[in-house]
Amino acid sequence: MHLTKAEERILDGQEGRAQQLAMRLLVAIGDAYDASRMVKIRSAQISGISYKTIGDPGLEFLKEISSEGAVATVRSMLNPAGMDLSRWRELGISEQFAGKQLEIMQCFEKMKIEPTCTCIPYHENNAPLKREHVAWAESSAVVFANSVLEAHTNREGGPTALASSILGISPLYGMHLEEHRLPTHLVRVKCKLNIDLGYSLLGYWLGKNLESSVPRIDGVPRNPSHDKLKALCASMAASGSISMFSVKKEDREPRAEIIDVHREELNEIANLLSSEGSYEHVALGCPHLSLHEMRTIAAMVSGKQMKKKLWCFTSRHIRDQARQYGYVASIERAGGNVICDTCIVVSPMVESGVDGLVANSCKAAHYLRSLSRVETRLMGLEECVKYALA
Ligand code: F3S
């Protein structure tokens, strides 16, 4: 691939070892995907933050690269960590786990990467504009950025997003190029999607059956809310490798294959990920809850008392806003818990005596079942809240 003089200098090691390692990685990826050159990015979002998922090898890598003087050169954000960074003790996280997680956070702090610790980086006052290039790693946020914000990003891994954060560039291939963003399939949804769970089930079915295509989805209500699209993005990315979809009527679909999705297909996914068990825990916020969802939960539980344990996962940024509006107080008065910086999948919270839980996310169900051997029962967000109160 073509490199500028400045990029060549970095590759030769003249700008430091960390920069050289980052450039080597991006050039290797660029060569593998036939990228013609690098493109400047507006922001990076890095995954692989939880000690639960990266363990000691990941921590050692971060210690090494941060001690080499690597620093972010564009705004850079983090995916959820393995615990609430301030309330981990009361949530039962062990000293040993917390110590390692805090070491990870120190490495990122040294590299001047913001401890946003959220999978909804587009709610951090930094959403990219249409056609802006970013290098984001959280798969649900990648689909959201490409499809809803119309920004351009590939589905980065933790190391490539970190390399892009250090250098402010990304190899120009894949979803950065217009020709890869045209719909490959026309999906006609033949049933009603009334609640957030319907979008989550549809996304999961599409990811599972269409692999890495670009579906244009027809038959969903006009202008679905961002929360519904967030659910669609997350499950699509969890069951497959789709990086983008479209719900816009005007998108062209030359030679797009036509696929119809009926209620039966969505039921098939519900049967796969949802059991009929009666569980004591309800987890909401995969992806992290928006302010609007926090308001919905707060209004539903106001003046009531939970009969089950309700965990609401969100970002510190949204939590602070929700606090100002009184939503956090309302949820906590009812006995619910608002948890920041982490999520039900990447924290070890389910490892101590949780054998099943109720959730509104196919992505959460997918990973809880496959990684943590935890049973799940799926419902829409409002049904989940009612279940927690009953
Ligand atoms: Fe976010 Fe964790 Fe789900 S990172 S999308 S809440 S698995």
Side-chain angles (χ1 to χ4, degrees):
M1 62 191 297
H2 169 77
L3 296 182
T4 64
K5 289 258 176 309
E7 289 164 353
E8 268 173 8
R9 262 201 322 277
I10 295 171
L11 192 60
D12 288 344
Q14 293 175 41
E15 303 294 332
R17 184 160 155 68
Q19 287 75 358
Q20 183 184 34
L21 287 175
M23 186 60 89
R24 274 191 194 155
L25 179 58
L26 295 188
V27 168
I29 297 289
D31 283 342
Y33 286 96
D34 274 337
S36 57
R37 62 179 174 88
M38 299 290 180
V39 64
K40 282 200 164 58
I41 54 160
R42 171 186 165 138
S43 66
Q45 193 258 358
I46 298 148
S47 64
I49 314 306
S50 168
Y51 179 65
K52 179 178 170 181
T53 54
I54 65 170
D56 287 323
L59 172 56
E60 288 314 311
F61 166 75
L62 289 171
K63 276 183 183 169
E64 194 186 327
I65 193 142
S66 60
S67 65
E68 296 281 356
V71 277
T73 57
V74 289
R75 187 171 176 198
S76 300
M77 299 166 283
L78 296 181
N79 226 22
M83 61 186 197
D84 188 310
L85 296 169
S86 45
R87 292 176 51 218
W88 54 270
R89 269 197 192 88
E90 65 183 274
L91 295 168
I93 304 293
S94 72
E95 296 279 341
Q96 190 266 348
F97 184 94
K100 298 282 190 179
Q101 185 62 64
L102 293 173
E103 277 190 71
I104 291 172
M105 299 313 294
Q106 281 160 10
C107 295
F108 285 116
E109 192 186 338
K110 219 166 161 183
M111 293 188 278
K112 305 215 180 315
I113 295 173
E114 294 175 43
T116 49
C117 296
T118 183
C119 49
I120 50 169
Y122 40 87
H123 280 296
E124 295 289 313
N125 296 334
N126 188 36
L129 304 175
K130 191 171 173 172
R131 294 208 179 88
E132 268 187 337
H133 298 271
V134 295
W136 286 7
E138 161 52 37
S139 60
S140 65
V142 165
V143 184
F144 196 94
N146 281 319
S147 317
V148 182
L149 306 177
E150 300 181 60
H152 292 203
T153 179
N154 283 318
R155 186 165 161 166
E156 300 294 342
T160 57
L162 179 57
S164 287
S165 155
I166 295 166
L167 299 175
I169 53 176
S170 185
L172 185 66
Y173 74 96
M175 303 313 289
H176 288 295
L177 300 170
E178 291 296 341
E179 63 258 37
H180 296 299
R181 301 172 63 89
L182 290 172
T184 55
H185 293 73
L186 172 61
V187 176
R188 300 186 302 196
V189 180
K190 300 289 186 183
C191 56
K192 280 207 164 59
L193 302 175
N194 292 330
I195 54 172
D196 50 332
L197 187 61
Y199 285 80
S200 191
L201 293 170
L202 173 65
Y204 199 90
W205 189 89
L206 292 175
K208 190 165 178 279
N209 289 280
L210 299 188
E211 292 289 320
S212 55
S213 59
V214 179
R216 177 162 89 66
I217 305 170
D218 208 2
V220 294
R222 268 179 87 81
N223 302 323
S225 70
H226 271 196
D227 290 334
K228 288 188 169 122
L229 292 173
K230 173 165 73 87
L232 181 68
C233 293
S235 53
M236 192 180 285
S239 58
S241 45
I242 293 178
S243 295
M244 181 178 170
F245 67 87
S246 160
V247 286
K248 280 180 152 185
K249 295 267 179 284
E250 65 269 25
D251 266 6
R252 292 178 296 132
E253 66 272 356
R255 300 182 301 279
E257 189 184 331
I258 297 177
I259 293 180
D260 290 346
V261 179
H262 304 90
R263 174 66 50 202
E264 292 73 49
E265 276 85 35
L266 304 192
N267 289 344
E268 176 198 311
I269 301 302
N271 291 336
L272 190 70
L273 298 175
S274 185
S275 61
E276 277 308 303
S278 173
Y279 303 118
E280 284 309 301
H281 294 82
V282 178
L284 298 174
C286 175
H288 275 171
L289 293 163
S290 67
L291 187 62
H292 182 261
E293 289 171 318
M294 290 288 289
R295 183 176 65 188
T296 303
I297 299 166
M300 286 183 73
V301 304
S302 175
K304 300 182 179 145
Q305 271 305 307
M306 301 289 166
K307 299 285 189 313
K308 319 260 184 344
K309 245 185 173 0
L310 176 70
W311 288 329
C312 301
F313 293 93
T314 190
S315 67
R316 195 157 280 270
H317 177 69
I318 300 275
R319 193 277 315 266
D320 290 348
Q321 287 178 291
R323 229 180 215 163
Q324 285 174 11
Y325 288 108
Y327 307 154
V328 173
S330 173
I331 294 169
E332 288 179 347
R333 265 199 304 273
N337 225 325
V338 178
I339 302 166
C340 301
D341 312 318
T342 187
C343 80
I344 193 64
V345 171
V346 301
S347 84
M349 288 172 69
V350 289
E351 282 166 11
S352 46
V354 178
D355 52 1
L357 51 75
V358 172
N360 68 330
S361 158
C362 289
K363 178 169 180 178
H366 173 94
Y367 286 114
L368 285 168
R369 284 168 170 258
S370 58
L371 299 180
S372 307
R373 306 271 165 245
V374 169
E375 277 292 320
T376 48
R377 181 170 172 184
L378 292 175
M379 302 177 187
L381 182 130
E382 294 189 16
E383 285 177 285
C384 285
V385 177
K386 284 182 197 156
Y387 178 88
L389 289 167

